[in-house]
Amino acid sequence: MKTRLWPLICHVLPLLHAINICDTTSRLFGVAKGLPLKKIKTDADFKTAVETFCTKGKTTADIIASVERALISLYGRRAGDTRDMLRYKRFWEKVTSSITTVRVRSLPPTSAAANYHSLRVYLQVQDWIDTTCDLQPEMWGWQLSSRRLDPCITDLPPAPELLLKMIWCNCKSDCRSKRCTCRKHGLECSLASGECKGIDCLNSPSSEPLADY
Ligand SMILES: [Zn+2]
Ligand SMILES: [Zn+2]
């Protein structure tokens, strides 16, 4: 591989693996396994962003700044697009063309979620390529809870306050199954939920996530 790929991309192979198909980061839904490899050969912006991820000593701000370009490239660039605009456009494309409910997970990640993803990717890449790497996971997309590291998903609510108040369930059970309206929409139960009030069910903010969900 080194003979065939060098010098173009050999040194960024760890990034190409970590950005989309690595068990210790997260997966970008809908981005094919081989796409980053194709993009690095054809897209100068993507290549520049990738180089940043493979360079020692970058700050969280450096990484967040470069992931914007990388993700817009992976999800299909149009002039003036931002990540959130891309997500919005993709949603409308799906609403107008799909005959079933649009699955939120099939959209590009929000900018907040993508930022945390990119921090984990940088941490993983540096851990692989730099034997002296001493980055603290808590600064790079992970949080310590109950003495284990969990990935930070986002620091924003899943939807605007007004929308969250419009979706609620009336489950008689513990909101474990996808028949729970809140769970089905990827939301945690809230005070608006008829029975559980977002407190005493398995989909409430305080409950542990189900292993199989
Ligand atoms: Zn419910
Ligand atoms: Zn509930």
Side-chain angles (χ1 to χ4, degrees), residues 119-192:
L119 296 179
R120 284 190 294 276
V121 168
Y122 183 73
L123 174 68
Q124 182 61 83
V125 171
Q126 292 305 311
D127 194 49
W128 281 333
I129 66 178
D130 176 12
T131 50
T132 62
C133 174
D134 59 355
L135 299 176
Q136 295 301 309
E138 292 94 324
M139 298 290 295
W140 295 90
W142 294 89
Q143 57 191 345
L144 200 58
S145 56
S146 307
R147 292 194 295 174
R148 71 170 191 197
L149 287 168
D150 284 331
C152 302
I153 307 299
T154 181
D155 49 14
L156 296 176
E161 188 71 27
L162 185 66
L163 185 61
L164 293 177
K165 285 182 180 158
M166 289 166 62
I167 295 176
W168 67 88
C169 70
N170 257 324
C171 300
K172 302 284 182 229
S173 61
D174 56 10
C175 302
R176 175 190 294 265
S177 79
K178 287 199 177 172
R179 274 179 297 185
C180 168
T181 312
C182 300
R183 189 182 281 283
K184 194 166 86 182
H185 286 88
L187 301 173
E188 290 178 324
C189 293
S190 67
L191 263 180

